[in-house]
Amino acid sequence: MDPFALQQAARTRTFRLVPLAVAAVAATAVAMGVVMTVAGWAIWLWLSDADLCADASAASISTFCRVYPAVPAACFLVSTLFVAAMTLVKFLGLSSGDVLMESVGAKRLRRCELSETGEEDLARIRLLNVCEEISIASGLDMPSVWVLEREGGINALAAGTDPSAAAVCVTRGALEWLTRDEMQGVVAHEFSHVLNGDMRLNFRLAALVCGITMVSRVGKGMLLLLNGDGDRSDRDSKVGVPLPLLLIYVLTGIALWLVGAIGEFFARLVQCAVSREREFLADAASAQFTRNPEALANALRLTHFADAAGGAFGAWKGDVSHMLFVSGGSPLLETHPPVVERIRRLSPRGTAFLDESLKSRIQEVNERRRARAKEVNENFAKSIARAKGLKAATASLADAKLQPAVLAAVRDPARAGETLVGLLRGKAPEGWEGSFPASARRTLATRCVNTLRDRATLAERRKLAAELERIAQEDGVYDSFEVMVIASARRRLVADGRRAVAMVPAVRLLPVAAQVISTVASFGDDPEGGYRAAGRKLSLFGPSLPPMPAPCNDAEELFAALDSLVRLPPLAKRELLMGLKETIAQDGKVTNEEADYLAAVADAIGAYGWMQMQVRGGDGTMAAAHDF
């Protein structure tokens, strides 16, 4: 190949295309001025009540322009200044290479911060060495070097309108998969963009396209202002806008949107054509700097056969796609020439030539990508399961629908006490028909305790609470439902509500809260994961949860911990309950034990109302309960 001949051909074709982009911008500005002028003419017709059919010459747009020459002049001036201002704003925002690199989330490499003992640092030191070598070969100043750590595909980017203050960025995938020779070819390709002024040209083209795009956005914005309820006549009556004026407004918005969209389409066509020619130029210059066109061809083969271009800088693809080493898009608006054509120009062996080393790396990249896709699918499945678990955790504390006869019975203190004792002994309430789900049992127990609290004296309540604890201990073991009932009884029947509880900062009670979370997490399939999940909600408890402590050994230890957590501030109590919901939802399901313990904690610390607020629907009604 002759790199110098290829460079000259690319430059020639570029210079023929650039005037077309300028023409597209100028045409858009003129069209915008025409639309504004026509809108002014239509308003003039409406204000003067002219009949276009009766006197066409007097009501023509040419007459309007002769009578009011300042109106079209102002319209064309405003449209030109608007497009120019939007173009300038975009150009200033893209002119700095370092600012652009920081915007896409890249991290700058500094040799003093790297160690020669770490494998990852060695790859980054190699990149710095390659950049220094290409800097000498090209005669350019050493640019700032950046790495996009979050991008696993093979890609690179150069930015900066001034060769003395340029920036070069490669992805983490390029560091992992490219050999040293291939990295030289890719970096030399990016240096060529800086040397040949491609960055300045690309920035100017992007700014021109932005100026055109803003015209269509103005039209869209005008139409969006009309969004609202009711028909047009209803809106007219509300805002007092006459129908003819509203029609002029709508048509003007549609016209501006069409003008901007058409102008943007043609400007992007020119931009993409220019970008494709500059890519051929950069490939040829890379071969000139490295004297090894096969290395760059192998890098392109790797991205082609392994589909290793990756996400192309994620959400920034639309803004920087024309600056990347490789980029995927629609054939019509593709900013890069086909990889096959680029390889054909660089290597006489063609695209299909793959040595054993390259085949091995392509296979490894594809296997890594399949493993990554599998991991993403698994994480998605886990997130769905967690969402279902959160829904179940929320519904587990909702009031279940109780049968009217049973609900009426437990409003009597005597019947409420008998029913609660029966529930502790595993009996369904008298008169209950059909199956007796766990959610109904929790709701009924709470109703019984509330009835006893409101209808009995303090001495009677404490005596009843002692009897409930004796019944719960008959078999020598507290089950989860018994823990819930006793926690509720101690809070609602034994405690003296007339005494204020002194609040304590949540940070001081973090060890106690961690032990309670650990106890609840122990009932899940993944106790360690459930424990860590709670930390996402505990901002008031400190920066992070401590290592997972041992769960409470028995119910009395748990009750003592809950007595301490009563002193939490209200918002900290809410955070603790939200954290516990994350804990029990982490494995995607909620067992009866987890639901009982969540209700026990909420009731014992005096924050059951927080949970009830979470299960209310938008209309204020309680969410439907489920049996878990």
Side-chain angles (χ1 to χ4, degrees):
M1 62 170 290
D2 183 357
F4 301 100
L6 291 177
Q7 292 179 51
Q8 183 59 40
R11 289 193 182 98
T12 301
R13 286 190 292 268
T14 298
F15 293 141
R16 293 173 181 172
L17 289 170
V18 170
L20 296 178
V22 177
V25 176
T28 302
V30 171
M32 182 180 180
V34 170
V35 170
M36 295 171 62
T37 301
V38 172
W41 169 62
I43 295 175
W44 173 67
L45 289 178
W46 174 67
L47 291 176
S48 61
D49 198 20
D51 188 346
L52 187 60
C53 296
D55 191 357
S57 59
S60 65
I61 190 171
S62 59
T63 303
F64 169 73
C65 292
R66 286 196 304 271
V67 175
Y68 302 101
V71 174
C75 290
F76 284 105
L77 179 62
V78 169
S79 64
T80 302
L81 292 178
F82 175 80
V83 174
M86 294 300 102
T87 301
L88 180 62
V89 169
K90 184 67 172 181
F91 180 77
L92 293 177
L94 293 174
S95 60
S96 172
D98 288 353
V99 171
L100 180 61
M101 296 304 176
E102 292 176 353
S103 299
V104 300
K107 178 182 178 182
R108 184 169 182 177
L109 293 186
R110 303 179 189 276
R111 194 178 291 273
C112 61
E113 299 175 354
L114 300 176
S115 170
E116 295 186 359
T117 58
E119 183 177 350
E120 290 189 358
D121 283 356
L122 285 177
R124 286 154 179 76
I125 292 174
R126 183 190 69 174
L127 173 62
L128 290 172
N129 293 338
V130 166
C131 289
E132 289 177 351
E133 295 166 2
I134 302 302
S135 175
I136 295 172
S138 64
L140 289 174
D141 291 339
M142 177 70 176
S144 60
V145 183
W146 303 71
V147 175
L148 192 67
E149 299 287 354
R150 69 171 185 268
E151 180 56 70
I154 298 174
N155 228 318
L157 166 70
T161 57
D162 186 356
S164 63
V168 172
C169 174
V170 301
T171 61
R172 176 177 51 82
L175 292 178
E176 292 177 354
W177 300 112
L178 295 180
T179 65
R180 196 180 197 281
D181 288 346
E182 291 165 356
M183 181 65 77
Q184 276 188 331
V186 172
V187 170
H189 174 98
E190 299 305 326
F191 266 74
S192 171
H193 284 311
V194 178
L195 178 65
N196 292 306
D198 295 349
M199 293 302 97
R200 186 183 300 107
L201 179 61
N202 281 332
F203 285 150
R204 289 174 178 174
L205 289 174
L208 290 175
V209 173
C210 178
I212 296 176
T213 303
M214 292 306 298
V215 177
S216 63
R217 291 183 179 179
V218 169
K220 286 182 181 179
M222 293 176 63
L223 298 177
L224 288 175
L225 290 177
L226 296 177
N227 283 346
D229 298 328
D231 57 14
R232 178 175 294 177
S233 61
D234 182 55
R235 275 199 303 271
D236 290 347
S237 63
K238 288 181 180 180
V239 299
V241 179
L243 183 59
L245 195 58
L246 184 61
L247 183 61
I248 295 172
Y249 177 87
V250 171
L251 293 177
T252 302
I254 294 174
L256 289 177
W257 173 69
L258 288 175
V259 165
I262 295 172
E264 179 185 0
F265 173 75
F266 285 105
R268 285 199 182 276
L269 279 181
V270 176
Q271 181 190 24
C272 293
V274 171
S275 180
R276 287 193 288 268
E277 292 301 330
R278 304 310 279 192
E279 289 301 317
F280 285 132
L281 174 61
D283 287 345
S286 174
Q288 174 192 345
F289 296 152
T290 64
R291 303 299 179 182
N292 187 5
E294 199 65 40
L296 182 60
N298 278 342
L300 290 169
R301 289 186 182 105
L302 188 61
T303 63
H304 179 64
F305 287 102
D307 191 22
F313 289 71
W316 279 87
K317 181 178 178 181
D319 288 331
V320 301
S321 61
H322 58 291
M323 306 178 198
L324 300 178
F325 174 61
V326 287
S327 175
S330 63
L332 186 61
L333 295 177
E334 175 56 80
T335 58
H336 287 58
V339 172
V340 174
E341 177 63 19
R342 293 173 67 182
I343 296 174
R344 186 190 64 78
R345 295 193 181 196
L346 288 168
S347 173
R349 297 174 176 178
T351 309
F353 175 76
L354 301 174
D355 58 25
E356 293 301 323
S357 173
L358 192 57
K359 288 180 181 178
S360 176
R361 283 187 291 144
I362 289 173
Q363 183 179 1
E364 189 175 355
V365 171
N366 288 334
E367 290 176 354
R368 180 80 65 87
R369 289 175 66 83
R370 284 193 291 267
R372 176 58 181 163
K374 181 179 179 181
E375 181 183 353
V376 170
N377 290 335
E378 291 176 351
N379 290 338
F380 178 74
K382 289 180 180 179
S383 66
I384 295 296
R386 175 180 166 274
K388 292 180 179 178
L390 281 174
K391 183 177 180 181
T394 300
S396 66
L397 286 184
D399 280 342
K401 293 182 179 180
L402 300 180
Q403 296 176 6
V406 176
L407 182 59
V410 298
R411 289 172 180 165
D412 176 68
R415 296 288 299 278
E418 294 175 0
T419 301
L420 191 55
V421 169
L423 292 176
L424 286 173
R425 289 176 172 164
K427 298 179 181 180
E430 183 180 350
W432 186 273
E433 298 179 358
S435 61
F436 187 49
S439 57
R441 183 174 65 167
R442 283 191 291 271
T443 298
L444 190 58
T446 302
R447 295 293 182 91
C448 290
V449 173
N450 286 339
T451 299
L452 296 172
R453 178 193 61 185
D454 295 337
R455 302 294 179 86
T457 64
L458 179 59
E460 292 173 338
R461 294 200 301 270
R462 288 180 173 176
K463 181 179 178 180
L464 179 58
E467 178 64 15
L468 293 175
E469 293 198 32
R470 185 191 66 78
I471 295 171
Q473 295 174 359
E474 286 179 346
D475 56 359
V477 180
Y478 278 107
D479 63 24
S480 61
F481 177 71
E482 290 170 343
V483 168
M484 189 204 78
V485 173
I486 300 306
S488 180
R490 289 190 177 189
R491 170 71 180 165
R492 298 172 185 266
L493 302 182
V494 177
D496 189 352
R498 293 174 296 179
R499 295 183 180 180
V501 178
M503 288 187 293
V504 175
V507 177
R508 290 174 52 185
L509 293 175
L510 177 59
V512 181
Q515 189 177 28
V516 171
I517 295 171
S518 174
T519 302
V520 177
S522 65
F523 290 95
D525 293 339
D526 181 14
E528 184 72 31
Y531 176 78
R532 291 195 304 269
R536 294 192 289 263
K537 298 293 184 179
L538 304 183
S539 61
L540 297 177
F541 286 80
S544 61
L545 280 172
M548 184 176 177
C552 295
N553 291 326
D554 53 36
E556 288 301 330
E557 186 177 0
L558 176 64
F559 293 147
L562 295 178
D563 288 341
S564 300
L565 295 179
V566 171
R567 296 180 294 167
L568 284 172
L571 292 181
K573 292 179 180 179
R574 179 182 183 273
E575 280 195 356
L576 176 60
L577 297 182
M578 296 302 104
L580 287 173
K581 284 177 61 178
E582 294 285 341
T583 295
I584 67 176
Q586 192 266 342
D587 57 2
K589 59 183 179 181
V590 181
T591 63
N592 286 330
E593 291 79 7
E594 290 172 329
D596 288 339
Y597 269 88
L598 181 60
V601 174
D603 214 346
I605 66 176
Y608 201 88
W610 281 115
M611 302 304 296
Q612 291 299 320
M613 288 175 62
Q614 295 299 315
V615 298
R616 290 187 182 275
D619 57 354
T621 58
M622 301 302 291
H626 302 279
D627 182 11
F628 299 103

